[in-house]
Amino acid sequence: MTDIHDCEGGHQQDPVRLISTPGQRRMVVLILRGAMDGLDAVQPYGDPALRTLRSTLSVGPQGGAHDLDGFYALHPKLGALLPLWQAGELAFAHAVSTPYRDKRSHFDGQDILEAGTTSRDRPDLTVKSGWLNRLAATIPGAMEVVPFACSTMTPIIARSESPFLTWTPATDLGLSHDDVTLMQHVYAPDGQLSAALDQAIAADLLIPPVKSGREDASAIATHLGKSGGIAVASIGGWDTHGSQAETLAGKLPEVADFVLTIKAGMAPEAWASTVICVVTEFGRTARQNGTGGTDHGTGSVAMFAGGAVAGGKVYGQWPGLGNLYADRDLLPTSDVRAWLGAVVHAHMGVSRSAVEGVVFPGVTLAGCPV
Amino acid sequence: MTAEDMTMIPHTTLDASAADLRAMADKLAALADQMRPLPPEPEPAPEPPLTAFGVRFGYGPAAATVPEAIADVQAIAALPPLVTQAEAQQFHVDYNANAGSDTRLWRERARDYRRAEVRGRISRGLTGLGVGNRLHSFWADHFTTLPKNYQTYPMQVSMTEEAVRPHIAGRFADMLKAADLHPVMMFFLDQVASAGDNSPFALSRPGTGLNENLGRELIELHTIGVAGPYTQDDVREASNLLAGMIYGAYQGVRYDVKRAEPGVETVLGVEYPDDSIAEIHRMMDDLARRPETARHLATKLAVHFLGDEPLELIDEMAAAYLANDTALVPVYEVLFSHRSWPGAKLRKPLDWMIAGLRALGVTPAEAEALPGSFIDAFILEPLGIMGQPWDGQGGPDGWPEQAEAWLAPNQLAARLDWAMTAPTALFTQLGRMLPDPRLPGLTDNTALWVGRAQSAEAGIAAMLTSPELQRS
């Protein structure tokens, strides 16, 4: 670790977090840090305004995008997910956002997405209390699973005063096996420290951090393949102010790969009870800018994949690109937390009142993608 | 003969039956059989090296005489406060007036006070013997308070800097009065909401009344201890006497007689008829002077520094405390003179970090100059993961003393992480080369393996997390 502040704009990749829960329900949240352009990932080519706002981006089926339903088309580089769409295991919710508006800061946006609150300054729900931890606290028997790779920067989504304080990941330990052996020798004369070190080794706390989205996905598949639970991972690098076409051509396959790696790493029964939610902190400007990119916006798209998804459908109310937020952004018509909340309720079995009162306070559950 | 053996023998043999007598004879024969010569006394443990004093009472090897150690405590006590109560109160007022328009700026200002306290605690730990700083941390923990909001962050610093530190070489009674009537303590333990049930204040405001929190902890945690001979009535009466003490940002600390409970309060058999600060001080002086308080404090000091409860030493420390009207230096003199130390204690995270920085040769001036981003990323954040978040004690009883509380796998991993990453980041910041980790004073085993590390970072990490550095 050279610079732990190196998370500007979403290049940070957080370690995977895991909570095991009783039963067989599985939920994975993939956070796309840096604000993914929802209008490019799932292109509303049926909206005539799209072509006037964008000349080279979001070209629709003419540019190789895969038609989904006659109105929306999937970005060409997400084509690997088409079989899931056809199998009814892939859905989207379009024109979604957190309640965050106007300042369009990555940090605020990500904080609010992870805190699950309406603003980062709510005194009753500080950013320390991530929605994931509040969710875990509502599921009896939920247990922390020691993460296999850790960072001293704890994403807010995993922060909590209690009862998951020990879930706080410890480290970004790039210890080699030689280093670990060295520590065992140094601790040999001290029984108490030796025992603690052995526990840390047994908990996989000391091995080098997982680096790629695929490794994260495969680790998630391994852990969730065995039993029910919740996992959170992230992929950074979505801040496409310039050369968006080239950047997304590299990044979107990572998302498809993440999803397909989880599917491939699980037994079919486990996949059948899995929902992967892919969310981003906000969207990007509806208009293409002068550098082949887009700037910070508001509404974006959320994706749901997994055997438990009621897929083959793009959910959400389309606002029309003739009706932009602040004359620049896709107007959000639903709260992304309402969709996450719907998964938590309908799939993970948490009561509606707990979802609307504790996990995502103040939210009203949206229609259900599962 | 043990007490149990005694009970086996009839008190009188006058009317004992023959069977009883036979049983008694058998018992005596068995006892005689047990009275074999005692095994030889074990060899006394070798005297620890002189530099072990600094390891035990400071942050690293240093020889010191008792007067030198006392001088170190007095020097720390004499330093000017980082924040005064007046300054902290002004911040509270300013925050309330201005933070609404720029909350983030004002929270950041509040955090800067905490960062200044962190720098101070670290740099003083790197100064002199470190003994005074250890005792400052000890007493600050004895009077644990947590700021409940950003506007009182500076007040929290004033608490440890003004209410606690100047008294660590003075009288405990004075520390008690300053700490328990400090604004942050009154916030933390709800004194600011308390009013006697029969006070004019409470009678005219339904739903208000006495809050026992401060009265309870004054007795249970700060003075005579939970094992002491007090009752719920004493807690209630102490709280009744405290009713009237109040703090507000605009008026400061004051005694509001309209909140006072009418009548005479009786605490542990002593009557306190007046409603005044002087009477509250009198109660606190009385509590401080009690033998149970002497024993409670002596035991806490022994457990904190020695990791054990050597009864004779505790008796001696308590006697010194009582003979000197709650003065603490005579207590430390007893503690520092004690040389029969039990096994080493695990250092708590902050103490271990300071010990590590000392071992790396970081100077007090360098610690003072650390930027806020470093304090956040390499001190405050990791302290939390290691289980000791700054001002984050679970309750008013402070940090746990037993090693098990600090050795969960992720806590140990966090120490390894810090040892691997913080030194490189720090020395890059300082523009210096990492020092050679093969320090004098390491055990042969540690020195051997530190020397075999495959990278400078791993060698430093092995040294910093070695048993020698993790234990005091």
Side-chain angles (χ1 to χ4, degrees):
Chain A
M1 181 173 69
T2 50
D3 182 359
I4 90 168
H5 294 296
D6 187 19
C7 58
E8 183 97 5
H11 294 290
Q12 173 192 29
Q13 183 181 336
D14 299 312
V16 171
R17 317 294 151 116
L18 272 169
I19 292 175
S20 79
T21 55
Q24 293 297 317
R25 299 306 182 93
R26 296 153 172 96
M27 178 175 178
V28 179
V29 180
L30 177 64
I31 299 171
L32 305 183
R33 293 187 184 280
M36 185 201 59
D37 183 26
L39 292 175
D40 209 346
V42 179
Q43 304 167 4
Y45 75 95
D47 189 323
L50 183 64
R51 283 278 57 74
T52 63
L53 293 163
R54 299 184 165 204
S55 54
T56 62
L57 299 174
S58 308
V59 187
Q62 286 175 313
H66 309 280
D67 177 48
L68 293 175
D69 58 1
F71 184 83
Y72 294 107
L74 193 61
H75 191 284
K77 293 293 182 181
L78 287 174
L81 295 176
L82 276 179
L84 297 187
W85 176 265
Q86 284 143 10
E89 295 181 341
L90 181 68
F92 300 91
H94 222 315
V96 301
S97 79
T98 71
Y100 179 62
R101 292 289 181 278
D102 297 336
K103 283 190 181 168
R104 300 180 178 86
S105 146
H106 291 299
F107 311 102
D108 287 350
Q110 291 174 22
D111 279 3
I112 288 167
L113 177 61
E114 297 178 33
T117 55
T118 48
S119 104
R120 64 185 287 160
D121 283 332
R122 272 191 61 171
D124 54 329
L125 285 169
T126 66
V127 292
K128 278 179 150 181
S129 155
W131 66 263
L132 184 70
N133 276 341
R134 296 197 299 273
L135 165 60
T138 65
I139 302 177
M143 294 268 294
E144 160 206 351
V145 177
V146 175
F148 19 82
C150 320
S151 153
T152 48
M153 288 280 284
T154 313
I156 289 164
I157 202 166
R159 276 184 214 160
S160 176
E161 324 266 55
S162 64
F164 288 92
L165 192 61
T166 56
W167 193 38
T168 309
T171 54
D172 186 3
L173 269 178
L175 287 187
S176 68
H177 288 287
D178 287 342
D179 294 333
V180 172
T181 308
L182 178 76
M183 293 316 303
Q184 286 177 310
H185 284 297
V186 171
Y187 283 7
D190 190 313
Q192 195 175 35
L193 288 177
S194 284
L197 181 68
D198 287 344
Q199 284 179 14
I201 293 167
D204 284 347
L205 278 173
L206 308 180
I207 66 170
V210 173
K211 288 295 182 204
S212 75
R214 178 178 293 190
E215 284 173 277
D216 281 357
S218 118
I220 288 170
T222 303
H223 281 256
L224 292 190
K226 289 180 233 161
S227 72
I230 304 162
V232 180
S234 70
I235 296 176
W238 300 91
D239 199 12
T240 50
H241 290 280
S243 308
Q244 175 165 310
E246 292 77 4
T247 307
L248 290 191
K251 297 304 296 182
L252 288 171
E254 284 186 40
V255 175
D257 193 42
F258 181 91
V259 170
L260 296 173
T261 300
I262 288 181
K263 180 175 183 182
M266 282 182 167
E269 311 85 76
W271 175 251
S273 63
T274 295
V275 175
I276 302 168
C277 310
V278 183
V279 292
T280 190
E281 69 260 35
F282 45 70
R284 311 194 68 81
T285 48
R287 284 183 196 85
Q288 187 173 334
N289 67 18
T291 55
T294 50
D295 299 309
H296 296 186
T298 308
S300 187
V301 72
M303 183 173 98
F304 305 92
V309 170
K313 185 174 172 182
V314 179
Y315 292 82
Q317 185 197 342
W318 185 248
L321 291 171
N323 178 26
L324 296 178
Y325 178 75
D327 192 32
R328 57 177 269 157
D329 305 337
L330 175 59
L331 179 75
T333 54
S334 61
D335 188 330
V336 67
R337 301 172 307 148
W339 298 95
L340 289 172
V343 175
V344 166
H345 168 59
H347 180 60
M348 297 305 290
V350 175
S351 75
R352 176 177 283 263
S353 61
V355 174
E356 295 180 347
V358 178
V359 182
F360 296 113
V363 98
T364 303
L365 294 191
C368 190
V370 297
Chain B
M1 219 189 297
T2 67
E4 194 186 5
D5 297 325
M6 292 293 288
T7 61
M8 301 282 291
I9 300 170
H11 286 292
T12 165
T13 57
L14 256 186
D15 52 5
S17 68
D20 284 336
L21 286 169
R22 258 198 312 279
M24 192 174 79
D26 289 348
K27 185 71 190 166
L28 285 170
L31 282 171
D33 194 43
Q34 286 171 18
M35 288 176 66
R36 297 194 186 93
L38 289 171
E41 284 280 322
E43 287 288 315
E47 274 281 303
L50 291 176
T51 54
F53 183 89
V55 175
R56 176 66 59 163
F57 294 108
Y59 299 96
T65 63
V66 172
E68 283 166 348
I70 297 296
D72 190 83
V73 181
Q74 287 163 334
I76 291 295
L79 294 171
L82 293 171
V83 181
T84 65
Q85 195 170 312
E87 188 183 341
Q89 189 181 332
Q90 187 60 46
F91 182 90
H92 194 165
V93 170
D94 292 345
Y95 189 105
N96 285 350
N98 300 312
S101 57
D102 196 343
T103 310
R104 232 180 257 186
L105 170 77
W106 281 86
R107 287 184 176 179
E108 195 56 19
R109 285 183 180 169
R111 289 191 195 98
D112 277 339
Y113 282 94
R114 170 175 292 179
R115 293 178 186 123
E117 187 186 17
V118 172
R119 285 189 195 95
R121 197 71 67 82
I122 293 174
S123 67
R124 291 174 200 147
L126 302 176
T127 308
L129 292 169
V131 178
N133 202 55
R134 288 280 313 274
L135 279 162
H136 179 204
S137 292
F138 170 83
W139 289 112
D141 186 63
H142 181 73
F143 289 107
T144 288
T145 50
L146 316 179
K148 284 189 174 173
N149 50 30
Y150 285 102
Q151 34 276 65
T152 52
Y153 270 36
M155 205 51 105
Q156 169 66 26
V157 184
S158 151
M159 169 78 191
T160 64
E161 286 286 304
E162 274 192 315
V164 173
R165 189 165 49 71
H167 301 295
I168 63 172
R171 293 170 64 247
F172 177 76
D174 295 329
M175 193 192 295
L176 176 68
K177 286 176 281 191
D180 274 7
L181 299 177
H182 189 277
V184 161
M185 185 67 83
M186 289 201 279
F187 266 114
F188 179 51
L189 295 180
D190 305 314
Q191 180 63 24
V192 291
S194 187
D197 285 341
N198 301 302
S199 66
F201 180 95
L203 290 175
S204 64
R205 289 170 184 77
T208 62
L210 192 68
N211 187 303
E212 296 179 359
N213 212 353
L214 179 60
R216 175 176 308 283
E217 305 309 5
L218 163 67
I219 295 175
E220 176 186 319
L221 292 179
H222 301 159
T223 59
I224 70 178
V226 70
Y230 68 92
T231 67
Q232 170 59 28
D233 286 345
D234 293 310
V235 169
R236 186 107 192 140
E237 288 286 88
S239 305
N240 275 330
L241 185 57
L242 286 167
M245 283 311 301
I246 199 81
Y247 167 79
Y250 300 94
Q251 289 162 299
V253 175
R254 67 203 159 91
Y255 187 80
D256 179 0
V257 75
K258 290 196 296 299
R259 287 172 173 258
E261 177 73 8
V264 177
E265 282 87 14
T266 305
V267 180
L268 289 154
V270 182
E271 292 191 346
Y272 300 95
D274 292 350
D275 291 330
S276 68
I277 294 189
E279 199 75 328
I280 292 169
H281 283 174
R282 190 160 74 84
M283 167 181 66
M284 290 182 168
D285 281 332
D286 289 343
L287 288 170
R289 290 185 180 117
R290 289 191 65 100
E292 299 89 357
T293 300
R295 197 154 188 88
H296 179 213
L297 300 179
T299 306
K300 273 192 82 168
L301 278 164
V303 169
H304 183 79
F305 285 98
L306 307 181
D308 200 359
E309 299 189 25
L311 293 180
E312 265 179 46
L313 179 75
I314 289 170
D315 286 343
E316 215 182 315
M317 288 163 73
Y321 174 93
L322 293 172
N324 292 282
D325 194 20
T326 83
L328 294 171
V329 164
V331 181
Y332 306 150
E333 285 170 342
V334 175
L335 177 67
F336 296 157
S337 305
H338 185 76
R339 287 287 165 153
S340 163
W341 295 327
K345 270 200 80 168
L346 187 80
R347 287 190 166 119
K348 296 184 184 72
L350 178 65
D351 287 349
W352 170 70
M353 280 185 182
I354 295 175
L357 295 175
R358 222 175 223 265
L360 294 171
V362 177
T363 68
E366 286 172 334
E368 280 295 343
L370 287 174
S373 58
F374 185 93
I375 299 284
D376 290 355
F378 289 103
I379 306 291
L380 292 173
E381 188 87 33
L383 272 180
I385 303 171
M386 292 174 202
Q388 197 180 25
W390 195 269
D391 291 337
Q393 290 97 324
D397 50 346
W399 298 118
E401 290 286 356
Q402 67 279 32
E404 296 73 27
W406 307 98
L407 282 179
N410 64 329
Q411 292 172 334
L412 181 74
R415 290 192 187 210
L416 288 171
D417 182 27
W418 191 84
M420 282 292 285
T421 55
T424 304
L426 174 62
F427 279 76
T428 305
Q429 176 82 37
L430 299 178
R432 294 210 268 131
M433 297 285 289
L434 277 173
D436 190 324
R438 287 167 293 181
L439 299 180
L442 296 180
T443 62
D444 290 347
N445 182 62
T446 299
L448 171 72
W449 291 103
V450 164
R452 289 187 185 174
Q454 300 201 357
S455 66
E457 287 80 6
I460 294 274
M463 181 274 286
L464 289 176
T465 58
S466 66
E468 296 92 298
L469 266 289
Q470 295 222 54
R471 295 191 179 278
S472 64

